[in-house]
Amino acid sequence: IENYSIPSNLTISGEPPREINVRLKGSKRLLSLVRLDQIRVQVDLSNTHPGTNQISLSEKNMTTPSGITVTHYYPRQIRIQLSALPQPNKK
């Protein structure tokens, strides 16, 4: 899982999910060549807030090698905990 667009006033706290389970479809030859680092789940955090955020996943968040498709994935939602960054003191 790759998180991006974290608001500048927030930071991820705790241990965010790093993986989900996916079932792939493709030819035997292509599937035998797939490496784990070629399957990516990109999570946009631009609309998140401090506290627990429930993020829905879909196939559009997932990148696979050409000729490979995602037929099933779990979980369908992940939780990401965000904390507000300390604000600098203004004088």
Side-chain angles (χ1 to χ4, degrees):
I1 294 178
E2 297 174 350
N3 301 306
Y4 68 95
S5 296
I6 300 171
S8 60
N9 63 328
L10 298 176
T11 186
I12 295 176
S13 54
E15 281 295 317
R18 298 195 187 286
E19 299 178 344
I20 65 169
N21 293 308
V22 296
R23 184 174 298 147
L24 304 174
K25 179 180 177 182
S27 72
K28 244 184 206 185
R29 186 181 70 79
L30 287 176
L31 289 171
S32 70
L33 298 173
V34 172
R35 295 185 325 267
L36 287 178
D37 65 347
Q38 293 177 300
I39 312 299
R40 302 198 183 288
V41 180
Q42 298 173 317
V43 178
D44 181 359
L45 299 179
S46 61
N47 294 318
T48 55
H49 54 80
T52 301
N53 292 265
Q54 185 110 340
I55 311 288
S56 294
L57 302 176
S58 73
E59 287 90 350
K60 69 178 179 145
N61 301 98
M62 301 177 196
T63 304
T64 58
S66 182
I68 303 289
T69 56
V70 174
T71 61
H72 180 76
Y73 58 94
Y74 181 83
R76 298 277 176 169
Q77 296 183 333
I78 58 171
R79 287 190 177 135
I80 296 183
Q81 185 76 27
L82 297 173
S83 299
L85 290 171
Q87 297 299 316
N89 292 336
K90 295 182 180 178
K91 295 183 179 183

